[in-house]
Amino acid sequence: MKKENFAAYIFLLPWLVGFFLLTIQPIVSSFYLSLTEYDTVSDPYFIGFENYEYMFVDDYRFWEALKVTFFFVAVGVPFKLGFALAIALWLNQGVQGLSLYRAVFYLPSLLGSSVAVGILWRQVFHTDGLVNYLLAFLGISGPSWLSDPDTSIYTVILLTIWQFGSPMLIFLAGLRQIPHDLYEASSIDGASKFRQFWKITLPLLAPVIFFNLVLQTIDAFKTFNNVFIISGGNGSPVDSLLFYTLYLYQQGFEFFRMGYASALAWVLLIIISIFTAIYFYTSKYWVYYESEK
Amino acid sequence: MKQNRLLKHLYLAIASLVMLYPLLWMLSSSFKPESIIFNDLSLWPSQFTFENYPNGWQALRIDFSIFYKNSAIVAVFSVIGNLISCAFTAYAFARLEFNFKRFWFALMMMTLMLPYHVVLIPQYILFLKLGWVNTYYPLIVPKFLAQEAFFIFLMVQFFKQLPRELDESAMMDGCSVFRIFFKIIVPLSIPAFGTAAIFSFYWTWEDFFGPLIYLNDIEKYTVPLALRAFVSAEDLSFYGESFAMSILSLIPVFIFFIIFQRFIIHGIAMSGIKG
Amino acid sequence: MSNLTRRNFGKLALATSVLALTGANSTKAAGRIRHFWWGNKERDKRTYATIDAFNAAFSDSTVVGETLGWRDYWPKMATQVAGKNMADVIQMDYRYIAEYARRGAIKSLNSHLDSRAIDMSDFAQFSFDGGTVDGQVYGVNIGTNSQFVPYDKTLLDQLGLTFDPYKWNWDEFVKISREVTKNTPDGIYGSVNNGGQEVWLDIWLRQKNKALYHENGDLAFDQKDIEEYWSFWVDCQETGVSWPATEEAASTSMAKSGIPTKKTAFDSYWTNQIVAIQKLTDHQIEMATIPHNPGDSPGMYYKCGQFISMSRDTQDESLSAKYMNFFIRDPRAVGILKLERGVPGTKEMRDFLKPGYSREEAIMVEYLEGIEGRTKKLPPVPPKGAGEIDRAFERYWEGVAFGKTKIASAAKSFYREAERIRRKQG
């Protein structure tokens, strides 16, 4: 294919300038810091790969954090995406008052992870909160969801799912870009709704599904705000909410080990990159772009 | 058929209620006196008070109108910056062929993956050297230089969906890539722009970490930073006022959302053109 | 009042002359300093008012206030420390002061104390103890606190339970708590559970003439102490003395704590927090000491809740000292700040404020004066890594409280980890 180097680099210029001026230096510094002992007050002290060694050999909380985070990603991402897609499809069928429902479903996401959400969520899942109040009608005496180490992670997963508005909106935008006449043509051919979904909607939506999958996975691995406000910042009870970035934050900003925190960050970066690489690699088989046909 | 539709609305209504309950609880709590907020589960306050709103509005040294003004400045510039600069970058990645494309793309994706807490300190030092601390530049300038990879990736995915034939036929007519970008790609990607605008506005509006680190004077605080001043872990918290101000802070984002979601719907009309 | 004002003006004159001498050294941004503190709505209002008063009194200099909540304060501080851009005057907490001092982020104040630019000549000895690290004073006490047990008098009166709040012992604590749990509807208990509270462990140890740390930072307790302490609190949660582990874990903020939720009769807080607790409930709340057995010392101590310190990056040392002095003792400042951060350092200031006390403030001061002479010396400043050990203590306790680990093995693991953290910090 013909190269359009000149034009392409003109378009890329703002990004390149920003990248070299503002972004690359902090990234490189953080890698260097991962090879040092750095308490943020004194100058960093070079120690080679000791941080990484300590992480893999001695630090059981690192493994604990990985466990919690992987579980969260494995459960949270599919559910959130499934939910967002289902609702988007449903809304896209043309309901009266569509924009009202869309707004309603998006509202919780607008709340983001402000302090208010933390308080709110604790209230809903408290021993005598709404959830247990409803369960009581069914004769079930519910646990103290958030403060019981066996159930606390699910409340965070639920909070994440509850805020499914962003992927939903992206799905909706994607659905809106599918040309109408494709459906009309296939209706004339007598295709069933299910077949239309399988043959038209899914393939044409694939790039957007792919986008949401990649982004939600990255986001889930980096989950911080929601857990920070829910767990009181320390991953309790019994480390059941010790998400990876929470641990990283604690090491860096609470225990004055910014060098170690940087090492943790780079390990996470590698983990996320592997997942993303796998997604991109497999996307050849299931994501087709109109522009590449 | 009609019954079916009713049923659907019923389901939607129930789902809406579940989605909205926590919000409604917050709304009702903002009208309750402090002492009953956590002891009163019902959505209808047993005791009404309107004081949380005026008190919250003026609770800090500066009243909230300043914080709203500050937030609006940051958010509006961020939206403009993100839309323009990310569309440019995304166009190159999505539709042009050039050397080192994969390399740059991988780098761009990498910036999405690194937890921001560890770049915070080096970045702070960088901005400090530029003399940008305690100004809005650290919050706005990166947006004009397409440093929010999320939006680049989002637009790449949408741009790639537009049929090649569009560019090719335009090219035959002697259009330059720049013309193609402005005359074909941009108009056909309104839903993507609408989505990006909504996210961009909302993320800057609710972001507190950036403002927290870079803004020192309370006169420069944004709304979420001011909101956080209400709730302190160890000391007295003002929940009622905090809820009242949280509710108010949702209004601008919601209005923005209502306006811009039209552009998502807009997609229908335009995508009649088929490649 | 007039007496205090006059005295103070003398001191200020002195301070100004010191300023004149050292002023020559100060760098570019002289005449303008930043004061950074963590706070809340109420504290912010008072602190800004104090700053305004200072700026009005000394028109040749400007103090700029910066404030955040406790949780946001520390990451921002860490960032500014790394950027060598700290505010000139900062608020410090007991648990971090040693780390900041030993890492060189805050300045020794000894020369300013000697010259009386910061005048603490009439402050009690314990005001210095807390802010002293390795023989140098790094923080000026801006509020004295102590531990106490808030109790719900309304509830205890209803149940007809009484005790001597200054002399009660552990058996009484257990007995009364059990009575409360027994004679109230389900879901109401005697006490919160302090098994994971390092402060209570500290006092428990001190009642036995032990401590958390030695002067040199080594651990001053052993595994056995931890086992005993945890056994007591496990018993408490199993025999209806305290509420269960899930409730304890759920009480992450004051509003969710035992007394404000009316779920317990006894709670655990620092004295300056009585005002806030009382605001969260319509029951009458009173103050008691931590229980101690007859003959034992109560083990409590006066703690400097918060300090005001001078940062390494200060642009104008003498103005900072002048402002700090104003902040801790000028009646214009004291009269605005009142007891919000804790009880001020001298009797004179307390008398000055007395007429304006609310009920809670009055009982707070009464309590602090009531335990005078029965408190012990403040423990040495926590060593590096103390914060991490505290977190580990809380974590292992949660494991025990939820029945995930046995007391003995948890105590062993905790002790080993605490030793390892200390070794790592050197």
Side-chain angles (χ1 to χ4, degrees):
Chain A
M1 190 165 228
K2 187 176 141 260
K3 293 271 162 99
E4 295 142 310
N5 276 321
F6 177 72
Y9 277 94
I10 295 281
F11 275 102
L12 273 187
L13 199 61
W15 178 74
L16 281 172
V17 169
F19 184 75
F20 282 103
L21 225 62
L22 305 176
T23 307
I24 184 82
Q25 192 253 338
I27 290 180
V28 172
S29 311
S30 91
F31 180 70
Y32 169 72
L33 289 179
S34 80
L35 305 175
T36 67
E37 204 176 288
Y38 181 42
D39 63 14
T40 71
V41 182
S42 348
D43 289 332
Y45 172 72
F46 188 81
I47 53 168
F49 283 90
E50 249 176 63
N51 283 328
Y52 293 91
E53 204 184 303
Y54 172 77
M55 194 186 311
F56 287 105
V57 180
D58 284 325
D59 190 1
Y60 71 95
R61 290 190 85 201
F62 160 70
W63 297 104
E64 208 56 49
L66 272 185
K67 219 165 67 189
V68 172
T69 310
F70 269 111
F71 181 76
F72 175 76
V73 173
V75 180
V77 173
F79 270 100
K80 183 174 187 175
L81 284 182
F83 217 62
L85 181 58
I87 302 275
L89 285 169
W90 198 20
L91 289 178
N92 198 47
Q93 285 173 12
V95 202
Q96 259 183 351
L98 165 69
S99 55
L100 176 74
Y101 288 118
R102 191 169 37 204
V104 164
F105 289 133
Y106 193 59
L107 251 176
S109 312
L110 288 181
L111 262 183
S113 41
S114 60
V115 188
V117 173
I119 301 166
L120 216 67
W121 216 244
R122 296 203 78 94
Q123 190 60 23
V124 170
F125 285 99
H126 201 64
T127 336
D128 35 37
L130 175 76
V131 172
N132 284 353
Y133 181 74
L134 292 177
L135 283 178
F137 278 118
L138 305 172
I140 303 168
S141 145
S144 181
W145 301 93
L146 264 166
S147 48
D148 186 324
D150 293 329
T151 52
S152 54
I153 180 97
Y154 295 102
T155 61
V156 180
I157 291 176
L158 270 177
L159 174 56
T160 312
I161 297 175
W162 183 58
Q163 299 187 322
F164 66 84
S166 302
M168 176 195 80
L169 216 56
I170 296 172
F171 280 135
L172 268 175
L175 287 170
R176 288 299 176 169
Q177 277 213 327
I178 300 175
H180 240 287
D181 36 14
L182 285 183
Y183 291 109
E184 280 156 21
S186 78
S187 287
I188 295 168
D189 295 348
S192 68
K193 282 258 173 202
F194 181 75
R195 215 184 130 75
Q196 281 186 349
F197 172 74
W198 208 246
K199 289 288 169 193
I200 303 172
T201 314
L202 264 192
L204 283 171
L205 201 59
V208 172
I209 296 175
F210 175 68
F211 171 83
N212 272 334
L213 182 64
V214 172
L215 256 294
Q216 290 301 323
T217 307
I218 293 177
D219 264 8
F221 270 114
K222 287 174 31 183
T223 296
F224 178 78
N225 286 339
N226 281 347
V227 215
F228 187 77
I229 50 169
I230 283 185
S231 80
N234 57 10
S236 66
V238 209
D239 275 356
S240 60
L241 295 182
L242 189 71
F243 279 61
Y244 196 96
T245 45
L246 197 66
Y247 183 49
L248 181 158
Y249 180 86
Q250 197 176 40
Q251 286 291 340
F253 286 102
E254 200 178 334
F255 302 155
F256 303 97
R257 291 209 200 101
M258 201 43 87
Y260 189 58
S262 302
L264 284 169
W266 279 83
V267 169
L268 183 66
L269 175 83
I270 290 167
I271 294 171
I272 299 178
S273 313
I274 293 172
F275 272 82
T276 316
I278 293 172
Y279 287 157
F280 271 90
Y281 182 77
T282 58
S283 73
K284 280 186 228 161
Y285 303 104
W286 64 278
V287 184
Y288 299 100
Y289 298 96
E290 280 297 299
S291 59
E292 285 166 3
K293 272 186 182 156
Chain B
M1 199 62 195
K2 197 180 170 200
Q3 210 178 7
N4 219 335
R5 203 186 305 152
L6 266 176
L7 214 61
K8 194 166 175 177
H9 276 286
L10 187 71
Y11 288 143
L12 278 170
I14 292 171
S16 305
L17 193 69
V18 172
M19 290 299 290
L20 288 185
Y21 171 83
L23 272 173
L24 294 175
W25 181 80
M26 188 161 105
L27 181 65
S28 98
S29 295
S30 73
F31 290 106
K32 291 175 187 172
E34 194 72 31
S35 56
I36 67 161
I37 286 181
F38 291 102
N39 304 321
D40 183 5
L41 261 183
S42 82
L43 284 184
W44 194 252
S46 54
Q47 280 171 269
F48 253 107
T49 172
F50 291 96
E51 282 180 0
N52 289 328
Y53 284 86
N55 286 355
W57 189 264
Q58 288 171 356
L60 303 172
R61 181 176 174 82
I62 305 284
D63 78 45
F64 263 76
S65 56
I66 304 287
F67 303 135
Y68 274 87
K69 192 196 82 197
N70 296 340
S71 276
I73 292 172
V74 176
V76 168
F77 278 108
S78 296
V79 171
I80 297 171
N82 268 334
L83 287 191
I84 298 173
S85 67
C86 293
F88 272 89
T89 317
Y91 178 65
F93 281 129
R95 302 191 80 89
L96 300 176
E97 285 308 315
F98 55 95
N99 295 333
F100 309 113
K101 179 170 164 177
R102 296 179 70 125
F103 171 75
W104 293 124
F105 191 76
L107 267 186
M108 189 268 295
M109 289 302 290
M110 191 182 101
T111 61
L112 262 180
M113 298 173 202
L114 199 65
Y116 60 89
H117 295 119
V118 293
V119 287
L120 197 67
I121 285 186
Q123 205 161 47
Y124 180 82
I125 294 173
L126 179 77
F127 285 129
L128 188 67
K129 280 184 190 146
L130 291 170
W132 288 2
V133 167
N134 207 15
T135 72
Y136 295 131
Y137 293 129
L139 308 177
I140 293 172
V141 175
K143 312 274 166 65
F144 277 91
L145 295 173
Q147 295 308 297
E148 290 237 20
F150 173 90
F151 296 106
I152 303 180
F153 187 32
L154 177 77
M155 291 186 192
V156 164
Q157 292 306 94
F158 276 94
F159 291 172
K160 274 189 171 177
Q161 265 310 65
L162 300 172
R164 256 289 159 203
E165 296 87 335
L166 288 176
D167 315 30
E168 278 158 12
S169 57
M171 207 84 88
M172 303 264 217
D173 295 344
C175 275
S176 68
V177 278
F178 300 95
R179 263 190 83 86
I180 294 174
F181 174 70
F182 286 110
K183 295 286 167 196
I184 296 173
I185 304 295
V186 172
L188 283 181
S189 303
I190 299 296
F193 283 107
T195 318
I198 289 174
F199 285 152
S200 183
F201 186 86
Y202 149 65
W203 280 339
T204 358
W205 188 269
E206 72 134 24
D207 176 37
F208 76 87
F209 217 76
L212 168 73
I213 295 300
Y214 291 112
L215 304 176
N216 293 339
D217 302 338
I218 195 165
E219 290 83 0
K220 293 184 178 130
Y221 277 16
T222 55
V223 173
L225 205 50
L227 274 178
R228 284 180 75 88
F230 276 104
V231 182
S232 143
E234 312 227 313
D235 295 294
L236 191 50
S237 293
F238 297 83
Y239 291 106
E241 295 175 12
S242 168
F243 286 148
M245 291 303 106
S246 296
I247 293 282
L248 289 186
S249 82
L250 283 181
I251 293 174
V253 215
F254 195 61
I255 292 174
F256 195 89
F257 170 77
I258 296 293
I259 295 171
F260 275 78
Q261 70 164 352
R262 285 162 202 279
F263 294 106
I264 302 179
I265 308 166
H266 196 60
I268 281 180
M270 301 301 290
S271 46
I273 322 161
K274 198 182 157 270
Chain C
M1 167 166 179
S2 61
N3 185 21
L4 197 71
T5 315
R6 241 193 346 265
R7 278 175 45 124
N8 225 50
F9 270 119
K11 305 275 158 56
L12 282 173
L14 188 75
T16 340
S17 61
V18 174
L19 179 79
L21 286 174
T22 52
N25 300 336
S26 53
T27 42
K28 45 201 187 282
R32 184 184 183 275
I33 57 167
R34 292 152 58 207
H35 176 199
F36 185 29
W37 71 92
W38 73 85
N40 53 45
K41 182 184 136 180
E42 186 58 40
R43 179 178 302 163
D44 294 350
K45 205 172 266 170
R46 295 184 188 202
T47 312
Y48 276 122
T50 307
I51 290 174
D52 291 342
F54 182 85
N55 288 338
F58 307 97
S59 52
D60 55 335
S61 53
T62 316
V63 177
V64 183
E66 296 173 9
T67 179
L68 286 172
W70 162 267
R71 265 190 208 163
D72 298 335
Y73 182 81
W74 296 103
K76 178 149 187 180
M77 181 70 88
T79 316
Q80 293 185 336
V81 169
K84 304 200 181 353
N85 184 35
M86 295 166 83
D88 302 71
V89 175
I90 56 177
Q91 187 162 311
M92 263 290 142
D93 181 75
Y94 188 62
R95 80 183 91 167
Y96 289 121
I97 192 164
E99 310 230 21
Y100 272 76
R102 293 200 174 116
R103 291 171 207 267
I106 47 179
K107 283 193 157 148
S108 159
L109 300 172
N110 281 37
S111 61
H112 301 290
L113 292 173
D114 291 345
S115 71
R116 295 220 179 158
I118 299 172
D119 181 15
M120 290 174 67
S121 54
D122 50 355
F123 279 53
Q125 180 56 37
F126 64 77
S127 297
F128 295 93
D129 292 345
T132 305
V133 181
D134 305 330
Q136 300 277 311
V137 178
Y138 285 93
V140 175
N141 175 17
I142 48 171
T144 304
N145 278 316
S146 189
Q147 305 85 356
F148 83 107
V149 176
Y151 65 94
D152 186 330
K153 185 147 188 312
T154 312
L155 179 63
L156 292 184
D157 282 353
Q158 276 167 13
L159 299 171
L161 297 166
T162 52
F163 66 104
D164 180 344
Y166 285 92
K167 289 208 179 95
W168 65 329
N169 58 40
W170 287 101
D171 285 343
E172 281 175 274
F173 166 73
V174 168
K175 223 177 70 203
I176 296 171
S177 296
R178 237 178 241 154
E179 285 293 312
V180 174
T181 310
K182 212 170 70 191
N183 297 315
T184 47
D186 264 3
I188 299 177
Y189 305 87
S191 170
V192 297
N193 193 301
N194 294 308
Q197 292 276 345
E198 199 195 37
V199 182
W200 278 62
L201 170 70
D202 190 15
I203 291 167
W204 167 282
L205 290 169
R206 288 157 60 90
Q207 291 183 353
K208 299 169 193 286
N209 288 316
K210 293 183 178 176
L212 282 178
Y213 300 104
H214 289 299
E215 290 285 345
N216 66 5
D218 287 348
L219 303 181
F221 55 89
D222 55 38
Q223 198 179 311
K224 203 123 190 89
D225 297 316
I226 304 295
E227 280 178 35
E228 258 175 50
Y229 182 73
W230 282 349
S231 303
F232 175 79
W233 285 105
V234 166
D235 280 349
C236 282
Q237 85 182 22
E238 279 170 2
T239 61
V241 173
S242 80
W243 64 6
T246 46
E247 289 285 357
E248 184 60 43
S251 64
T252 47
S253 64
M254 188 186 277
K256 290 277 175 213
S257 190
I259 283 189
T261 54
K262 293 186 185 155
K263 281 185 181 167
T264 69
F266 300 115
D267 213 321
S268 150
Y269 274 100
W270 289 96
T271 45
N272 64 324
Q273 293 170 311
I274 177 71
V275 182
I277 300 169
Q278 183 62 77
K279 253 191 202 158
L280 289 169
T281 172
D282 52 5
H283 283 189
Q284 184 188 339
I285 308 306
E286 294 288 343
M287 305 172 80
T289 64
I290 311 252
H292 51 282
N293 293 335
D296 282 355
S297 126
M300 296 168 307
Y301 48 87
Y302 288 125
K303 190 187 113 163
C304 309
Q306 286 153 23
F307 303 95
I308 184 166
S309 292
M310 198 187 294
S311 87
R312 171 197 65 191
D313 303 333
T314 179
Q315 303 281 328
D316 190 336
E317 217 179 309
S318 49
L319 176 59
S320 298
K322 178 176 162 188
Y323 172 66
M324 285 163 77
N325 191 59
F326 180 84
F327 196 87
I328 60 164
R329 68 174 311 130
D330 193 290
R332 284 169 289 186
V334 174
I336 293 168
L337 295 166
K338 298 207 172 106
L339 303 185
E340 199 280 318
R341 282 184 173 87
V343 176
T346 67
K347 178 105 179 37
E348 211 168 341
M349 290 185 207
R350 293 200 290 272
D351 290 342
F352 165 59
L353 291 177
K354 200 166 188 176
Y357 286 166
S358 65
R359 184 194 80 96
E360 291 77 37
E361 287 173 336
I363 62 170
M364 177 190 353
V365 176
E366 187 195 334
Y367 173 83
L368 282 169
E369 286 171 354
I371 60 171
E372 202 172 342
R374 302 199 301 136
T375 53
K376 277 191 154 182
K377 193 173 171 284
L378 187 76
V381 173
K384 276 188 190 175
E388 201 176 348
I389 293 174
D390 180 11
R391 280 298 169 89
F393 178 67
E394 200 183 324
R395 202 167 67 240
Y396 282 106
W397 161 253
E398 278 175 350
V400 172
F402 281 101
K404 302 256 170 205
T405 29
K406 289 253 160 26
I407 296 178
S409 73
K412 191 171 161 193
S413 313
F414 163 68
Y415 193 74
R416 221 188 282 152
E417 180 157 339
E419 276 188 315
R420 197 184 52 138
I421 293 170
R422 278 298 302 141
R423 254 199 326 271
K424 223 175 154 252
Q425 296 288 351

